[in-house]
Amino acid sequence: MTEPLRIAIAGLGTVGAGVVRLLTGNAELITARAGRPIEIVAVNARERKKDRGVDLTPYRWQDDLGLMAEADDVDVVVELIGGSDGPAIAFARKALKAGKGLVSANKAMIAHHGAELATLAEEAGKPLKFEAAVAGGIPVIKALGGGAAANEISSLFGILNGTCNYILSEMEQKGSNFADVLKEAQALGYAEADPTFDIDGIDAAHKLAILASLAFGTQISFEEVETRGIREIEAVDIERAAALGYRIRLVGETRYDDGRLFQRVHPVLVPVNHPLAKVDGSLNAVVADGNFVGRLTFEGAGAGAGPTASAVVADIIDIARGELQPAFGVPASALAPAAPAHSDAGKGRSYVRVAVADEPGVMADLTAILRDCDVSIESLIQRGDAGDGGVFIAMITHETEHSRLAEAVRRMADCKAVLSQPMRMDLLD
Amino acid sequence: MTEPLRIAIAGLGTVGAGVVRLLTGNAELITARAGRPIEIVAVNARERKKDRGVDLTPYRWQDDLGLMAEADDVDVVVELIGGSDGPAIAFARKALKAGKGLVSANKAMIAHHGAELATLAEEAGKPLKFEAAVAGGIPVIKALGGGAAANEISSLFGILNGTCNYILSEMEQKGSNFADVLKEAQALGYAEADPTFDIDGIDAAHKLAILASLAFGTQISFEEVETRGIREIEAVDIERAAALGYRIRLVGETRYDDGRLFQRVHPVLVPVNHPLAKVDGSLNAVVADGNFVGRLTFEGAGAGAGPTASAVVADIIDIARGELQPAFGVPASALAPAAPAHSDAGKGRSYVRVAVADEPGVMADLTAILRDCDVSIESLIQRGDAGDGGVFIAMITHETEHSRLAEAVRRMADCKAVLSQPMRMDLLD
């Protein structure tokens, strides 16, 4: 195989322009490693005239995505349009049905339609690859499907959203509130104008659902990911967590036990000496535990034009080499169904922060609730003005069943002296 | 392809037994991910009767390695004999010439004969794979050849020998001397009876030479790795380094600039908050910098039956899937020659420890030497008994040309008041 692999790129945002830049800038090296040239044949985007900082004149501009998906002179289409549905999924389906290989960086589309697309790819005998959909430049999908493929993975967790990690790191370093740091991040381009997908944990949940399917050989079930973002985290939580020896990170966790799939994206408290506590700024990290290999940790840039383009082109190189393994490691039809396991079925230590009226007897009321729910306290800090004459109480519990703590938090919320909804975060132990 | 991939295993030490245990224990999962069963056909080791904790009765015991290399019912041979030459290389050559795929965990053999074996494999149109030769269970060879394949790698460094890292971690935690910790490590099975390859840095140098070839597409040149082990490190060095904010790690570093290949395995001082400073015990870590992906970090178990077997079987799964990329990422004939770059050509900060007679004027002598060589001191600790009435002086220099510091150290060694050879370690900045 020394003929060029001919590709078409749909979507020329940051990542699409990065892919063009990478394929042209490192062309010689890529040709050597792929064993053949990678040739861009056609490109598409909504706006033709926009300056993207790359020269697109050598490529056919194809306005019609449908024609691009079926173009005779294209072997592989690269979908960088984004969005779980709409033009992206229509393009992806059409291309696979037309017998094209498909490379995508679209986590939302894969999380929602990954199994369907994998089935279409297998029917066509063509590759479907999406390394760039998870953890940016970190080749974690290849690691799970290849380097760790001999292992039964028991659990996987990680920092999967660079925007949230950047915001939490900044809050930590500057003592600022969430809303202020978010505004700064938007001004600097680290957060989108509509940051919902990032800060509400949805983007991380997309990625977690994809990783869980790959790690455990289970059907993707994005809908079952318990998802909570970082909006409700206040400067006081960061400060109290630090005083107690922890940092707050938005962590995706998944485990598969007894046919039950646990999937959760939550802000958690991570001990300061834990590897994830040292993942700062917009970095991502993924940790997987295999039954023979033990613990593997992967860290790198979770987003950005260069890292994401690196992952996209790695997939293209794989295809150029003729690799054709199933998208989720095993054939889509062999992915096992998995019933969801809810987090409150487990146990562990937790952090609870509650704003209370500064009056006698409040602490007695709260500790009575905890006693009644059989929750015991490991450490507690009561200081700091919560506004409206209230004070903050922050505590860390001993290991307890999550269902008991959930009940205790419900009762606290009903307490007259409690001024706002108590905030609970679990510890990553 | 649903026919079994038939393999023969030569060498049944810890890793060989681990491969048998993994292939049988995770058989169902491995079959699903490989797309076909992996079938052990024949096994071989020096002693047949030894109890290895695995049932070998289902497999043909093949005493003659030559016959095993050419057996008609074998598709892939797994070389776990060890040693750069002798039976391992004879077996590897014969198997490739007989048209078998070859999987090896043998870093010494690959470091010495990798290019020759890659050429034989390419001539036969068969795969050669050696993920287990570097960094145990961490799939770093696949990451460089696959996940990061689109990048020009500018530099790579890491902790590549678990025995040394275990010894340094123990010295750090217990304040013990090298010799005592080595004895303990041998008693616990963490170090070999003859620990030379590990503690003199040769094992790490084998791995570094392999990684450099993969990362930069250069010819392997193990002979050019500047190699220094950890024998000369004393408890006082660990303690002084800690007092100055550093930990000592045996680090392999490689860079490729202007056609010059820098390869060095040295004990270095790593800032306590650097990711490598947190790699404790027998863990390994590899850090690579790519021109698009940025910095990637991989961490995991660098040795042991389970992790190494995981890497061996990952290679077997790749072969079962029909993957056939060149062993070093590009065809062996395309690997670029690289002239060695010596470390003393560079510059940076360094640590120097010297035992001196406890008498007036010594410090003036040493600082005069440093001044004459144009080396300036950032920090200095003079305390602690060096025996024979001497004291230790430990210092960290400002950034300086290594050649100047080397000259200063030579002059110090000639100083009458200096009681033993000064010890220099560079800083990983």
Side-chain angles (χ1 to χ4, degrees), chain A residues 26 145 150-151 297 299 310 321, chain B residues 26 145 150-151 297 299 310 321:
Chain A
N26 285 1
N151 291 270
T297 303
E299 194 180 318
S310 169
R321 288 169 173 162
Chain B
N26 285 3
N151 290 269
T297 302
E299 194 180 317
S310 168
R321 288 168 171 163

Side-chain angles (χ1 to χ4, degrees), chain A residues 223-271:
Chain A
E223 291 72 14
E224 301 291 353
V225 182
E226 294 179 46
T227 304
R228 204 175 121 194
I230 62 167
R231 279 183 206 267
E232 53 188 319
I233 297 171
E234 301 193 9
V236 63
D237 295 312
I238 306 264
E239 187 256 304
R240 293 304 137 85
L244 294 161
Y246 296 87
R247 288 189 179 140
I248 300 175
R249 292 287 180 266
L250 185 73
V251 170
E253 296 175 77
T254 179
R255 290 186 291 279
Y256 185 52
D257 278 321
D258 281 336
R260 293 218 160 243
L261 182 63
F262 171 76
Q263 297 180 104
R264 191 175 82 159
V265 171
H266 263 202
V268 297
L269 270 67
V270 178

Side-chain angles (χ1 to χ4, degrees), chain B residues 38-50:
Chain B
I38 313 289
E39 189 187 298
I40 304 174
V41 170
V43 295
N44 162 285
R46 267 180 303 192
E47 275 182 69
R48 181 159 187 178
K49 290 193 177 150
K50 193 171 167 186

Side-chain angles (χ1 to χ4, degrees), chain A residues 22 26 29 33 137 139 145-147 149-152 215 278 291-293 295-300 306-307 310 313-314 321 323 325, chain B residues 22 26 29 33 137 139 145-147 149-152 215 291-293 295-300 306-307 310 313-314 321 323 325:
Chain A
L22 174 49
N26 285 1
L29 175 154
R33 294 204 177 138
N151 291 270
E152 194 175 303
K278 285 141 195 162
N291 69 337
F292 274 74
V293 75
R295 175 159 288 189
L296 289 173
T297 303
F298 306 94
E299 194 180 318
S310 169
V313 178
R321 288 169 173 162
E323 289 177 21
Q325 63 190 76
Chain B
L22 174 49
N26 285 3
L29 175 152
R33 294 204 176 139
N151 290 269
E152 193 176 303
N291 69 336
F292 274 74
V293 75
R295 175 159 287 189
L296 289 173
T297 302
F298 306 95
E299 194 180 317
S310 168
V313 177
R321 288 168 171 163
E323 290 177 19
Q325 63 190 77

Side-chain angles (χ1 to χ4, degrees), chain A residues 21-290:
Chain A
R21 201 171 297 118
L22 174 49
L23 283 172
T24 48
N26 285 1
E28 194 183 343
L29 175 154
I30 290 169
T31 302
R33 294 204 177 138
R36 55 199 281 214
I38 313 289
E39 190 187 298
I40 303 173
V41 170
V43 296
N44 163 285
R46 267 180 303 193
E47 276 182 69
R48 179 158 188 181
K49 289 195 178 149
K50 193 172 166 186
D51 180 12
R52 296 171 169 94
V54 287
D55 177 16
L56 299 171
T57 53
Y59 322 123
R60 178 169 78 239
W61 186 275
Q62 191 138 20
D63 272 313
D64 188 318
L65 274 176
L67 291 179
M68 184 189 258
E70 296 179 328
D72 282 339
D73 60 352
V74 169
D75 304 309
V76 172
V77 299
V78 181
E79 183 279 305
L80 304 171
I81 302 164
S84 63
D85 292 273
I89 185 71
F91 176 68
R93 285 178 181 135
K94 186 166 276 198
L96 287 171
K97 284 178 185 162
K100 311 297 178 197
L102 174 62
V103 172
S104 174
N106 187 336
K107 47 222 119 185
M109 182 179 79
I110 301 298
H112 283 276
H113 305 292
E116 178 206 333
L117 295 175
T119 304
L120 287 176
E122 287 160 28
E123 283 168 5
K126 295 292 169 184
L128 163 63
K129 290 183 177 279
F130 41 78
E131 182 66 70
V134 178
I138 309 174
V140 63
I141 289 183
K142 291 190 207 311
L144 291 172
N151 291 270
E152 194 175 303
I153 304 292
S154 56
S155 74
L156 181 149
F157 61 91
I159 293 174
L160 300 171
N161 184 275
T163 304
C164 286
N165 211 56
Y166 172 83
I167 291 174
L168 292 171
S169 298
E170 286 290 296
M171 288 175 72
E172 206 171 278
Q173 278 164 35
K174 299 186 178 160
S176 314
N177 263 306
F178 172 77
D180 298 329
V181 176
L182 174 60
K183 257 183 230 155
E184 276 173 40
Q186 286 171 316
L188 291 165
Y190 293 147
E192 312 265 346
D194 176 1
T196 309
F197 265 42
D198 289 318
I199 66 176
D200 288 341
I202 299 162
D203 173 79
H206 285 146
K207 296 167 180 168
L208 188 74
I210 296 170
L211 287 176
S213 175
L214 272 156
F216 310 127
T218 47
Q219 289 168 8
I220 280 205
S221 58
F222 163 69
E223 291 72 14
E224 301 291 353
V225 182
E226 294 179 46
T227 304
R228 204 175 121 194
I230 62 167
R231 279 183 206 267
E232 53 188 319
I233 297 171
E234 301 193 9
V236 63
D237 295 312
I238 306 264
E239 187 256 304
R240 293 304 137 85
L244 294 161
Y246 296 87
R247 288 189 179 140
I248 300 175
R249 292 287 180 266
L250 185 73
V251 170
E253 296 175 77
T254 179
R255 290 186 291 279
Y256 185 52
D257 278 321
D258 281 336
R260 293 218 160 243
L261 182 63
F262 171 76
Q263 297 180 104
R264 191 175 82 159
V265 171
H266 263 202
V268 297
L269 270 67
V270 178
V272 285
N273 58 356
H274 188 283
L276 290 195
K278 285 141 195 162
V279 177
D280 282 324
S282 64
L283 288 178
N284 277 197
V286 179
V287 181
D289 290 307

Side-chain angles (χ1 to χ4, degrees), chain A residues 228 232-248 264 266-270 348-355 370 375-381 383 392-400 402 405-406 409 412 421-429:
Chain A
R228 204 175 121 194
E232 53 188 319
I233 297 171
E234 301 193 9
V236 63
D237 295 312
I238 306 264
E239 187 256 304
R240 293 304 137 85
L244 294 161
Y246 296 87
R247 288 189 179 140
I248 300 175
R264 191 175 82 159
H266 263 202
V268 297
L269 270 67
V270 178
R349 297 190 297 157
S350 301
Y351 164 94
V352 179
R353 175 259 298 164
V354 51
L370 290 165
V375 173
S376 75
I377 298 170
E378 187 185 291
S379 48
L380 185 145
I381 302 178
R383 67 162 185 257
F392 281 121
I393 296 176
M395 62 186 93
I396 286 181
T397 70
H398 280 291
E399 180 172 279
T400 186
H402 287 319
L405 182 61
V409 168
M412 282 183 196
Q421 180 60 34
M423 152 76 157
R424 164 190 155 196
M425 291 183 280
D426 295 335
L427 269 57
L428 189 76
D429 273 322

